Amino acid sequence: MTTSIAFVFPGQGSQALGMLAEHAAANPLIQQTFAEASEVLGFDLWSVSQNDEAKLNQTDTTQPAILTASIALWRVWQAQSGAQPAQVAGHSLGEYSALVAAGALPFAEAVRLVQRRGQLMQQAVPAGQGGMAAILGLEDDDVRAACAEAAQGAVVAPVNFNAPGQVVIAGAAEAVARAVEACKARGAKRAMPLPVSVPSHCALMQPAAEQFAADLAAASWAMPNMPLVQNVSATVAGDIAALRMALVSQLYSPVRWVESVQALAAGGAEHVVECGPGKVLSGLNKRCVKGLNTYNTDTPDAFAATLAALAAL
């Protein structure tokens, strides 16, 4: 374990058709991990991730697919004796990958949980009734004020504080559309609707959270074997009950990513590795904490470069 290293795991939106294909050609651990997940899910997750974009983008498939891709890369890292992190975190869904990596949750249970999580989220708000939008170039308080002005009795709120000047809002579709215009009027550089079917992390997800609490309670838990910074609090839970409670709240509460990365840095992290498909978090992380060294594992070349860079520490 190297105290200056943290691993972070991506959330929904990092999926891409054909993800990890290059990795799979070079390492059988990738498809072995997908085969384990497929057994839990009852369908061939690897085939979907390579060939069926429509199904891959359905939230109850997307969530296990990103979890599985992230844990596959984590296993390859372990198999290659990569430098070990002292802390972990995950963005939204990615928190479940972090829980598996930290030994808090068995992989098969995590696959089951995130599929269920996706199903409940989709059921909570019928398609077309919810929306999300990305707001760029406004202060957090301005986004909050725009949402308050646009609500008019409906739900709309900031839900992802991803980086300074980059906030995602979510809620009822018409309220989100009004908030987009209110943010533009306040001087946002860009305010654009996102192509999603579920308004994540807002109050509309509370019914899903109430149902999901029972699934979380029934799972097999252990305390993480390293500090795990959670989205809801941007802190490390002190016990399993608090850990689970934060996962319930996470469904309808904002992702405090800026504060989470700052917490990792305060805990000693100088090198943060994005372990999973894509490199969305790597771009955000360096904006959250100036001077942070960021790495990704998306391709075999990027993985090898990260392995070599951290071995030299």
Side-chain angles (χ1 to χ4, degrees):
M1 183 186 78
T2 306
T3 56
S4 64
I5 298 173
F7 268 50
V8 295
F9 297 87
Q12 204 154 336
S14 289
Q15 76 275 11
L17 196 67
M19 63 185 182
L20 270 58
E22 284 183 80
H23 277 292
N27 197 307
L29 262 176
I30 301 292
Q31 290 207 40
Q32 285 171 23
T33 305
F34 271 81
E36 285 179 44
S38 298
E39 203 166 309
V40 173
L41 298 168
F43 62 87
D44 187 338
L45 184 62
W46 178 254
S47 178
V48 169
S49 74
Q50 303 303 301
N51 304 303
D52 189 344
E53 191 166 23
K55 183 162 185 178
L56 178 62
N57 287 335
Q58 291 171 6
T59 191
D60 57 344
T61 303
T62 307
Q63 296 197 26
I66 293 172
L67 169 81
T68 301
S70 299
I71 294 306
L73 289 171
W74 171 255
R75 288 176 171 181
V76 173
W77 186 268
Q78 301 304 307
Q80 298 194 14
S81 301
Q84 293 302 296
Q87 305 174 80
V88 289
H91 189 286
S92 186
L93 163 74
E95 197 163 295
Y96 291 84
S97 305
L99 288 161
V100 175
L105 191 61
F107 173 57
E109 290 217 40
V111 172
R112 265 191 291 274
L113 281 173
V114 301
Q115 183 188 39
R116 173 74 170 152
R117 182 177 181 269
Q119 289 167 345
L120 289 171
M121 289 170 69
Q122 191 66 72
Q123 290 165 14
V125 180
Q129 290 189 18
M132 299 182 78
I135 312 300
L136 307 182
L138 270 192
E139 295 292 327
D140 293 352
D141 283 345
D142 287 330
V143 179
R144 289 188 183 98
C147 287
E149 173 192 306
Q152 297 176 20
V155 170
V156 61
V159 295
N160 291 3
F161 295 96
N162 285 333
Q166 184 174 333
V167 178
V168 174
I169 64 173
E174 290 181 4
V176 169
R178 289 193 297 268
V180 163
E181 295 309 312
C183 286
K184 288 178 181 174
R186 279 175 157 76
K189 288 179 184 171
R190 294 180 75 190
M192 51 200 177
L194 297 174
V196 297
S197 58
V198 172
S200 303
H201 301 293
C202 74
L204 297 176
M205 288 293 113
Q206 197 133 7
E210 288 165 5
Q211 291 180 266
F212 192 50
D215 297 280
L216 289 169
S220 301
W221 293 93
M223 275 303 287
N225 56 28
M226 66 185 96
L228 188 156
V229 176
Q230 292 194 275
N231 290 178
V232 165
S233 61
T235 60
V236 176
D239 57 50
I240 289 172
L243 184 83
R244 280 205 310 251
M245 195 177 302
L247 291 169
V248 174
S249 301
Q250 191 216 54
L251 275 171
Y252 58 85
S253 303
V255 174
R256 295 164 61 183
W257 190 247
V258 175
E259 293 170 90
S260 296
V261 177
Q262 290 169 345
L264 294 173
E270 299 170 12
H271 306 272
V272 178
V273 178
E274 180 173 5
C275 185
K279 45 191 176 184
V280 171
L281 295 184
S282 299
L284 299 176
N285 295 344
K286 63 181 69 173
R287 292 172 54 201
C288 294
V289 175
K290 298 299 181 192
L292 203 61
N293 297 297
T294 61
Y295 311 82
N296 72 83
T297 54
D298 186 40
T299 65
D301 285 351
F303 190 103
T306 300
L307 201 64
L310 298 188
L313 295 179

